[in-house]
Amino acid sequence: MEGETARLAFLQRAISDIGTTLNLSHAARLLAASAVPGFADFASVHLHDHVTASEDDSTSRNPHASSVMHRVAAVHLDDLGHREGLQAGQTFVYPSGTAMARFLALIEPVLIPRADQDILRKLPAELDSPSARSVLTGSSVMLVPLTVRASVLGFLVFGRKPERPPFVPADLAACREMAERAALSLHNARLYRRQASTSAVLRRSLQPVLPSHLQGAEIAYRYHPYSRATQVGGDWLDAIPLPGHRVGLVIGDVAGHGLHAAVAMGQLRTAVRTLAILDLPPDQLLLRLDQFAQGLDHTILATCLYGIYDPLVRRATFASAGHLPPILVSPGGEDALLEVPVSAPIGVGSAAFDTLELSIDSGSLLVMCTDGLVESREQDIEEGLIAVRRSLTTPHRSLEEACDALLRRQHHDDATVLMARLHGIPHDRSATWHFPPQPEQVRIARRLVRDTLTAWGLRDICDTTQLLAGELLTDAARHTSNPIGLRLVHTDTLLCEVTDDRQVAPPLLQPAGTDTSEQGVTLIHKLATRWGCTSTPAGKTVWFEHRLPTHGAPGNALRSQLGPNRA
């Protein structure tokens, strides 16, 4: 009667605990703890390596294959001794041919009424230790497989000390029934962990890592997916560094929710980044994005707002594909909805997109959001926008705090906000000239470069900058009859730009010839930190950047590398 009472109490507790958690390790601990001390003196849960690693749930039933098992949970009475040999976290490898390997392959439970010396001599080497022998000698032991659809997840071990009645077949039958439910619970916990891990990887891959530092702009953002299952959705945002210290600001919203919307969002986000690298104006970028969406083998509908901010001239240009207008808050606190011309959403097939271009005062706050932030069951979009504007005019200590304030309300859709404090680059940190396309003007330009860098305290990079700027100006003068632009910008780097009306971009690498322009490009490729070429409405701009020197004299190093005549 006592054995039956203990058995029923164990089953009742185990069944009530099974399925209460989707944490694999916690579920295993609850299962082991439900048996001790009423039903057993020690209990443990052992799981296959592929289960704990969340890999393929199929396992070989070949008795000649080795098995790697992890003891993920163990509970025992304190007076058993040798705790170090009974604790969880240990790994066992059962070679082919051992009793344990055959047990795992055959998926049959084992009942050992008393572990005598003959039994102990058959212990696998992994279990043949003083602690195991001390606990098992004279004990009654049951090994019960954990299987789901003929797939082995692991096994349970139950043991009773010699002074207690041994397990009987009725105990084994009850444990087998309980193990079926336990295996399903552990399997579900494993699937949940795999799904959660997959969602986390997907979420990290789909959400861009915005640059930590931009010239003339401070960025903050929040993304709140509505789907709790996948924790990803159709909203996206980005801040993309562009040549000339400009920044591309984008926010978008794919129709739908969950994983399908997130996958479509990832395609559009990648396409926007690719098109932005081509330095397309906002209207042309959205036109190309719409063409890209229509070329996919599945339908995508999305709204998108794209803008480019130039901190040097403190102007911004926006284009919209059916998206909410951005909000601009002036340094004095006045807020306004920017009247960006709205075209059809991405995927519809718009013929053209219009733009809004405006000057922006330094210190202004730009806010871009998705409709999930402003629309709810209690209010329409117009009322939501008014609430957002009211929140933005409330003083906040930081952009991060302002973002958090906007997302405190309950949302019934994906909600995303991108904030940018637009400071601009001080005017005294840039210098611009225009030169006639005459060879003698290169000497004048080189002198202006030296004087400007000297005034900025950058004499150490004068020689290199003079050389590279002179090479670009010389090449431009040979191919144009119109004025050539030269601009220097001093931030945490030195940026040099040469602009002409020629559409042909320079080669990236020097060919086998000896053309002077090719040699100049090769020098830039070797000596500049970064360089590139971007198209302009009237031609192109070739630019290069230098890191600012912290010590030493790069100019002297340049002379020794190129020789006094070349430098």
Side-chain angles (χ1 to χ4, degrees):
M1 180 63 70
E2 179 181 352
E4 183 177 354
T5 301
R7 180 168 59 250
L8 292 175
F10 160 59
L11 290 177
Q12 182 179 7
R13 182 181 177 188
I15 292 174
S16 64
D17 288 343
I18 291 172
T20 59
T21 178
L22 288 176
N23 182 292
L24 185 66
S25 299
H26 186 49
R29 286 194 295 270
L30 287 177
L31 185 57
S34 64
V36 179
F39 181 69
D41 296 315
F42 58 91
S44 57
V45 180
H46 302 245
L47 296 179
H48 261 292
D49 185 62
H50 70 79
V51 176
T52 58
S54 295
E55 296 175 352
D56 183 15
D57 66 355
S58 63
T59 183
S60 173
R61 296 182 61 182
N62 181 355
H64 301 293
S66 298
S67 299
V68 179
M69 307 295 297
H70 300 279
R71 184 191 287 158
V72 296
V75 178
H76 55 83
L77 296 178
D78 292 337
D79 60 352
L80 284 179
H82 299 284
R83 294 184 183 180
E84 70 282 356
L86 299 173
Q87 63 186 2
Q90 293 183 294
T91 298
F92 306 96
V93 179
Y94 302 121
S96 59
T98 62
M100 287 301 300
R102 288 191 295 271
F103 159 72
L104 293 170
L106 297 175
I107 319 181
E108 291 294 335
V110 174
L111 169 59
I112 304 175
R114 292 296 179 196
D116 55 22
Q117 293 302 315
D118 290 337
I119 295 293
L120 295 177
R121 279 195 293 269
K122 298 177 182 178
L123 282 177
E126 292 76 18
L127 292 179
D128 191 5
S129 63
S131 58
R133 286 183 174 274
S134 173
V135 172
L136 293 176
T137 299
S139 295
S140 182
V141 180
M142 289 191 301
L143 282 74
V144 184
L146 292 164
T147 61
V148 175
R149 293 185 292 275
S151 176
V152 182
L153 303 183
F155 62 91
L156 305 173
V157 176
F158 302 101
R160 285 179 180 172
K161 296 188 295 184
E163 55 267 28
R164 291 188 62 177
F167 292 119
V168 296
D171 296 321
L172 185 62
C175 287
R176 291 186 66 179
E177 180 180 352
M178 181 274 301
E180 293 180 1
R181 301 190 185 189
L184 184 59
S185 176
L186 293 172
H187 181 64
N188 290 338
R190 174 197 177 205
L191 293 180
Y192 174 79
R193 185 178 67 176
R194 177 184 293 177
Q195 182 186 39
S197 176
T198 301
S199 295
V201 171
L202 179 64
R203 185 170 64 254
R204 288 193 297 268
S205 67
L206 291 179
Q207 290 306 307
V209 179
L210 271 60
S212 58
H213 177 68
L214 291 167
Q215 296 298 335
E218 178 188 356
I219 302 293
Y221 65 95
R222 292 293 184 274
Y223 170 62
H224 184 276
Y226 179 69
S227 173
R228 295 183 178 180
T230 61
Q231 298 184 1
V232 291
D235 287 6
W236 88 93
L237 57 92
D238 216 338
I240 308 169
L242 300 174
H245 295 313
R246 293 170 300 140
V247 58
L249 300 171
V250 58
I251 192 165
D253 182 1
V254 175
H257 301 90
L259 190 58
H260 293 292
V263 171
M265 175 271 285
Q267 292 176 304
L268 294 183
R269 190 204 71 183
T270 302
V272 169
R273 276 204 154 243
T274 303
L275 294 170
I277 292 174
L278 300 177
D279 207 9
L280 297 175
D283 55 335
Q284 291 299 312
L285 183 143
L286 291 184
L287 181 62
R288 300 284 185 87
L289 184 65
D290 184 67
Q291 293 170 347
F292 167 80
Q294 293 183 73
L296 298 174
D297 57 2
H298 55 281
T299 302
I300 289 181
L301 289 178
T303 64
C304 184
L305 174 67
Y306 181 67
I308 295 178
Y309 173 64
D310 188 337
L312 284 165
V313 298
R314 299 176 187 179
R315 292 187 66 81
T317 306
F318 296 94
S320 174
H323 201 82
L324 290 175
I327 302 171
L328 186 67
V329 183
S330 71
E334 297 83 12
D335 64 283
L337 287 176
L338 299 184
E339 297 181 356
V340 181
V342 179
S343 298
I346 298 299
V348 172
S350 297
F353 293 87
D354 296 324
T355 60
L356 170 70
E357 185 174 357
L358 73 159
S359 297
I360 294 181
D361 295 331
S362 180
S364 297
L365 175 64
L366 178 71
V367 180
M368 304 162 67
C369 64
T370 59
D371 57 8
L373 185 72
V374 298
E375 187 178 28
S376 69
R377 297 167 184 169
E378 294 78 24
Q379 64 182 14
D380 58 23
I381 290 180
E382 287 73 16
E383 293 173 330
L385 284 172
I386 292 174
V388 169
R389 294 170 65 179
R390 188 182 302 117
S391 174
L392 294 174
T393 55
T394 301
H396 296 285
R397 288 179 295 181
S398 66
L399 288 187
E400 300 293 336
E401 185 181 273
C403 283
D404 290 335
L406 288 180
L407 286 173
R408 285 180 186 140
R409 301 183 307 136
Q410 179 68 33
H411 301 288
H412 303 284
D413 196 358
D414 300 334
T416 301
V417 60
L418 173 63
M419 292 187 178
R421 180 74 69 183
L422 306 177
H423 297 292
I425 295 175
H427 296 302
D428 61 358
R429 288 303 182 101
S430 66
T432 304
W433 305 275
H434 291 88
F435 302 98
Q438 300 166 359
E440 59 269 19
Q441 294 294 318
V442 176
R443 184 178 296 104
I444 298 174
R446 287 166 59 93
R447 186 181 69 248
L448 290 172
V449 169
R450 175 171 289 278
D451 292 344
T452 303
L453 296 190
T454 300
W456 285 342
L458 301 177
R459 288 185 58 87
D460 286 346
I461 56 176
C462 275
D463 289 342
T464 306
T465 306
Q466 280 184 300
L467 172 64
L468 300 185
E471 293 287 346
L472 293 178
L473 288 166
T474 299
D475 178 63
R478 275 200 303 269
H479 297 95
T480 184
S481 57
N482 295 314
I484 304 166
L486 172 64
R487 182 165 70 172
L488 299 176
V489 183
H490 175 203
T491 56
D492 55 359
T493 65
L494 177 69
L495 171 67
C496 178
E497 299 175 328
V498 174
T499 302
D500 61 43
D501 62 357
R502 189 182 181 213
Q503 296 286 347
V504 179
L508 294 179
L509 295 175
Q510 178 185 0
T514 58
D515 185 89
T516 305
S517 64
E518 296 168 357
Q519 295 176 3
V521 170
T522 302
L523 285 173
I524 295 175
H525 186 73
K526 290 183 177 180
L527 298 178
T529 303
R530 294 195 312 140
W531 79 281
C533 179
T534 60
S535 298
T536 66
K540 71 175 185 302
T541 296
V542 182
W543 57 270
F544 63 86
E545 274 187 320
H546 288 310
R547 294 191 185 95
L548 299 187
T550 55
H551 57 80
N556 296 333
L558 176 65
R559 293 190 186 94
S560 64
Q561 183 178 8
L562 299 177
N565 294 332
R566 185 59 174 170

